[in-house]
Amino acid sequence: MDLGAITKYSALHAKPNGLILQYGTAGFRTKAEHLDHVMFRMGLLAVLRSKQTKSTIGVMVTASHNPEEDNGVKLVDPLGEMLAPSWEEHATCLANAEEQDMQRVLIDISEKEAVNLQQDAFVVIGRDTRPSSEKLSQSVIDGVTVLGGQFHDYGLLTTPQLHYMVYCRNTGGRYGKATIEGYYQKLSKAFVELTKQASCSGDEYRSLKVDCANGIGALKLREMEHYFSQGLSVQLFNDGSKGKLNHLCGADFVKSHQKPPQGMEIKSNERCCSFDGDADRIVYYYHDADGHFHLIDGDKIATLISSFLKELLVEIGESLNIGVVQTAYANGSSTRYLEEVMKVPVYCTKTGVKHLHHKAQEFDIGVYFEANGHGTALFSTAVEMKIKQSAEQLEDKKRKAAKMLENIIDLFNQAAGDAISDMLVIEAILALKGLTVQQWDALYTDLPNRQLKVQVADRRVISTTNAERQAVTPPGLQEAINDLVKKYKLSRAFVRPSGTEDVVRVYAEADSQESADHLAHEVSLAVFQLAGGIGERPQPGF
Ligand code: NG1
Ligand code: ZN
C-alpha cells in the first residue's frame, strides 16, 4: 500500500467535517454533495475486498428510488450478492474516518481480514442516470487506482445489470458473457424461446406500457427492445427525455401512493408496469372498466411466478422443494393464498433483499419478493442440472415443461432482483397461461393497507423481533399496538426503523381502507408519544 499516495489523493476527496454516515441495507445513501469522499473510500474498500476474495467486486453508484438530488453507493460481492456484514462495518468505519486516521483504518481492515496486499484486484463499476453519478463514479475509480486495483467502468447500467456482470466474471463465463450484449442476448433468447410455445399470442399479450421512472431502465430497455421484439412490444413512458427521476412516477411512487404515475395515458384494462430509478423493482397495474386503479405488487408477482413454477414441476414429475420468501410488508392475503390455496411454504425475513436472498438460497427453488416489487427466483445448481437432463430425456409433454423451466432459469437474474428480467418472466407466463391482467389480479384480493412515516429524535430506540413484526423497545409500544389492532377486523400493524431514511415506518392493514388508514394513524401517534417523536404530531389523512 502506497500510504503517501493514499493520503495525497484522499485530501482531494476530503470528508466534510463531522459528517457521519452508515452503510445501511442499500449501502450509503444521502444528498449527492456529501458523497465524494465516500465514493473514493469505497473504491479503496472494493480493492481490499477484491484482494481478499480473489474475485471481481462491483461498485454501483445509485440512490435507486430516492430523489434525483440524492445518490448512493453499494458494493457487490463475488456472486452478485450484497456485501458481507463484517465488511459493511468496515465500510462504515472507513467512510467516517477523519483524514488523519485513514491510513490506520485501512491497515486495520487489511489485518483483520487477512488481506494479501500483493494479490491483484479487479473492480467493475456501474452508475445510474443521476446528474451527479458520473463525477461520483470517477471518485470511485480514483480510489481503485490509488490502491493499485484494475477496473472496468461499464458506465450507465441498471443495478441488476452490474450484479449480473460481477456474477458472470466470477463464474468463468458459465453464467453468461459479462457484457451488455451478453445480458441482452441471454435474457432475450430465453424469452423468445419461451413465448414461442404460447398458444395465445394475440395483441393483448404482445404489448405492454412501461413507466421507466425517468431513469436508467428507459435507456437499457430501449437498447434491448429489438432483441425480444418478436415476443413483446414495449411502449416506454417517463423515459427521462423531460421529467425528473422518480418524481411522481416509478415503482416506489405507484406502490406507496397506490395510484398511476404521471406521464402515462392508461386505457381501461391495459397492462402497465413501473420500474424504479435503477430498475431493480417492478410493479404492475391497470384501470378497470369503471376507471378504478388496481395495483399488482411484488406479492402478486411472487404468487404468479411460484404457482407457474409449481405447475411445471408437477408436469415434469419432480418433487423439488419450492419456497416463497416475503417480509412483514407482504399483504396478509398473499401469505394466506400461498399457504392455504397453493400449499407453498412461506417464510418471513427482515426487510432488505440480502435477507430474502439468503433465505431463498435454502430451497431447490426459492422465490423471493418484497411487496415493493424487488425480487427474483433462485435455482440451486442441482435443480439446474436435473432440469437440463429432463429436457434431454423425458417424453414429449414432460420434455416441453422441462424446456420451459430451462428457459425460465435463464431468464431470471440469479444475481439480484431485476425489473427487466422479472418483466420478461411475467410477460412470458401471462402469454403461456393465457391470463389477462385482470385474471392475474383476481387470484386474491389484497387487504387494504397503509404505510406511514414518523419522525423521531433517534429511530434506534425502536428495536424489533420476529422478522420485525414485533417491537421489543421502547417499553409499552408493542402493548399499545396490540390494543389498537384489536379494535379492527382482519387487522395487523407493525413499526420498524427504516434502514435507508431517518424515519420510523408504520404499516397497517385491515378489512377496509378506512380502517387501515385509521389504524396506521393511531399507531403513528403511539410511536410519536412513546418513541420520542419530533416536529408536528402526525395528522390524520394523507
Ligand atoms: P427501509 O428504508 O429500510 O424500509 C426500503 C424498502 C426495502 C428495501 C430498501 C432498499 C420498504 C418498506 N422498504 O428500506 O424494502 O427495498 O429500501 O432499497 O419498501
Ligand atoms: Zn432500486
Side-chain angles (χ1 to χ4, degrees):
M1 247 193 284
D2 181 352
L3 295 171
I6 295 169
T7 307
K8 189 174 135 208
Y9 280 93
S10 186
L12 300 175
H13 299 280
K15 178 172 108 62
N17 264 338
L19 182 68
I20 304 284
L21 297 168
Q22 178 88 28
Y23 194 97
T25 39
F28 292 103
R29 232 171 244 191
T30 186
K31 293 275 157 269
E33 69 255 31
H34 295 149
L35 280 168
D36 180 52
H37 69 294
V38 177
M39 297 292 166
F40 173 75
R41 294 169 185 206
M42 288 309 103
L44 300 174
L45 193 73
V47 171
L48 295 184
R49 181 67 174 151
S50 171
K51 286 177 187 286
Q52 189 217 26
T53 56
K54 302 188 175 62
S55 306
T56 296
I57 294 295
V59 180
M60 183 71 198
V61 176
T62 179
S64 181
H65 56 281
N66 292 112
E68 183 167 291
E69 298 72 31
D70 291 7
N71 217 321
V73 59
K74 68 176 179 187
L75 266 60
V76 178
D77 253 2
L79 296 179
E81 317 107 294
M82 304 292 177
L83 190 60
S86 64
W87 282 79
E88 289 189 358
E89 279 174 39
H90 301 327
T92 301
C93 260
L94 189 59
N96 294 323
E98 295 308 328
E99 230 36 70
Q100 67 274 14
D101 300 329
M102 281 281 290
Q103 295 189 1
R104 186 184 49 78
V105 173
L106 284 171
I107 292 170
D108 269 6
I109 299 172
S110 309
E111 284 175 358
K112 264 193 205 140
E113 297 290 347
V115 175
N116 173 5
L117 294 169
Q118 308 311 320
Q119 179 70 38
D120 289 340
F122 199 83
V123 178
V124 291
I125 300 149
R127 65 178 146 90
D128 71 10
T129 56
R130 286 179 161 73
S132 59
S133 291
E134 190 169 356
K135 188 158 175 287
L136 289 173
S137 71
Q138 193 52 52
S139 306
V140 174
I141 293 173
D142 285 357
V144 173
T145 28
V146 79
L147 259 190
Q150 302 283 317
F151 70 92
H152 180 82
D153 180 11
Y154 280 100
L156 293 164
L157 278 190
T158 71
T159 297
Q161 284 172 341
L162 183 78
H163 284 254
Y164 165 90
M165 301 303 175
V166 173
Y167 196 41
C168 288
R169 284 178 181 265
N170 289 319
T171 46
R174 260 172 292 130
Y175 183 64
K177 264 176 81 184
T179 60
I180 194 75
E181 289 77 15
Y183 172 93
Y184 293 151
Q185 278 160 2
K186 175 170 178 169
L187 268 62
S188 304
K189 181 169 172 277
F191 177 74
V192 170
E193 275 181 24
L194 205 51
T195 44
K196 265 191 207 146
Q197 322 237 10
S199 41
C200 332
S201 51
D203 279 354
E204 188 178 351
Y205 296 102
R206 286 190 30 89
S207 64
L208 171 69
K209 288 188 166 174
V210 188
D211 154 32
C212 298
N214 290 315
I216 181 72
L219 267 73
K220 297 297 156 182
L221 205 48
R222 191 149 279 154
E223 278 174 15
M224 187 177 184
E225 212 176 347
H226 69 270
Y227 288 84
F228 60 70
S229 54
Q230 267 175 282
L232 176 71
S233 105
V234 287
Q235 216 183 325
L236 309 191
F237 296 85
N238 299 319
D239 65 354
S241 52
K242 32 184 202 294
K244 215 173 160 182
L245 180 69
N246 296 325
H247 182 62
L248 305 176
C249 61
D252 193 61
F253 172 86
V254 172
K255 167 73 182 161
S256 50
H257 293 81
Q258 306 187 15
K259 61 180 183 198
Q262 284 196 1
M264 188 185 218
E265 198 200 308
I266 308 177
K267 298 199 195 88
S268 66
N269 295 328
E270 256 177 355
R271 202 166 66 252
C272 307
C273 69
S274 284
F275 292 1
D276 75 337
D278 62 341
D280 60 359
R281 292 189 190 178
I282 182 168
V283 294
Y284 271 72
Y285 45 91
Y286 68 98
H287 273 146
D288 65 22
D290 300 327
H292 291 130
F293 175 75
H294 292 251
L295 175 70
I296 303 180
D297 64 4
D299 304 332
K300 227 167 233 174
I301 294 174
T303 308
L304 178 78
I305 291 169
S306 51
S307 32
F308 187 66
L309 292 174
K310 205 177 159 187
E311 274 172 34
L312 288 183
L313 290 178
V314 169
E315 238 166 76
I316 304 168
E318 288 286 357
S319 63
L320 295 165
N321 81 46
I322 173 165
V324 174
V325 188
Q326 305 184 317
T327 71
Y329 291 100
N331 196 278
S333 294
S334 74
T335 316
R336 203 191 60 81
Y337 180 84
L338 284 163
E339 285 178 334
E340 293 175 15
V341 181
M342 290 200 21
K343 312 275 183 223
V344 172
V346 181
Y347 300 82
C348 185
T349 70
K350 289 202 271 186
T351 303
V353 282
K354 68 175 174 200
H355 301 293
L356 291 109
H357 192 95
H358 190 73
K359 184 75 194 170
Q361 284 172 328
E362 290 176 15
F363 306 94
D364 293 329
I365 301 179
V367 179
Y368 74 84
F369 266 89
E370 293 189 310
N372 61 31
H374 189 146
T376 188
L378 302 180
F379 300 83
S380 71
T381 322
V383 168
E384 214 182 318
M385 307 241 300
K386 229 178 199 171
I387 300 301
K388 288 223 157 88
Q389 277 169 8
S390 306
E392 303 295 316
Q393 293 161 2
L394 294 174
E395 77 271 16
D396 254 13
K397 188 160 173 251
K398 286 187 176 176
R399 192 173 59 221
K400 191 175 161 196
K403 267 273 170 223
M404 277 190 200
L405 205 46
E406 209 182 338
N407 288 328
I408 286 195
I409 295 175
D410 280 345
L411 193 44
F412 269 116
N413 189 334
Q414 301 282 296
D418 182 337
I420 294 180
S421 138
D422 291 341
M423 174 190 88
L424 294 174
V425 171
I426 293 164
E427 290 301 310
I429 296 178
L430 293 178
L432 287 162
K433 289 186 67 76
L435 279 179
T436 63
V437 70
Q438 301 87 319
Q439 287 166 326
W440 172 21
D441 186 35
L443 287 179
Y444 62 82
T445 308
D446 275 323
L447 280 169
N449 59 88
R450 179 64 62 191
Q451 238 197 83
L452 296 175
K453 300 178 190 182
V454 185
Q455 304 277 350
V456 297
D458 180 2
R459 68 193 199 278
R460 288 171 303 180
V461 301
I462 296 190
S463 61
T464 62
T465 184
N466 190 15
E468 304 179 320
R469 289 171 290 193
Q470 276 174 306
V472 178
T473 59
L477 179 58
Q478 188 56 48
E479 290 73 13
I481 295 173
N482 293 346
D483 288 343
L484 294 169
V485 166
K486 275 188 209 134
K487 292 168 43 184
Y488 301 90
K489 286 196 203 111
L490 300 176
S491 56
R492 183 169 76 90
F494 67 90
V495 302
R496 54 175 281 280
S498 158
T500 61
E501 280 178 72
D502 192 9
V503 296
V504 174
R505 294 198 199 283
V506 170
Y507 177 88
E509 62 186 33
D511 63 335
S512 71
Q513 191 61 52
E514 202 188 359
S515 299
D517 289 352
H518 270 143
L519 178 56
H521 175 60
E522 288 180 316
V523 173
S524 302
L525 289 175
V527 170
F528 192 82
Q529 275 152 17
L530 298 167
I534 51 169
E536 213 189 323
R537 260 166 68 91
Q539 298 296 311
F542 312 97

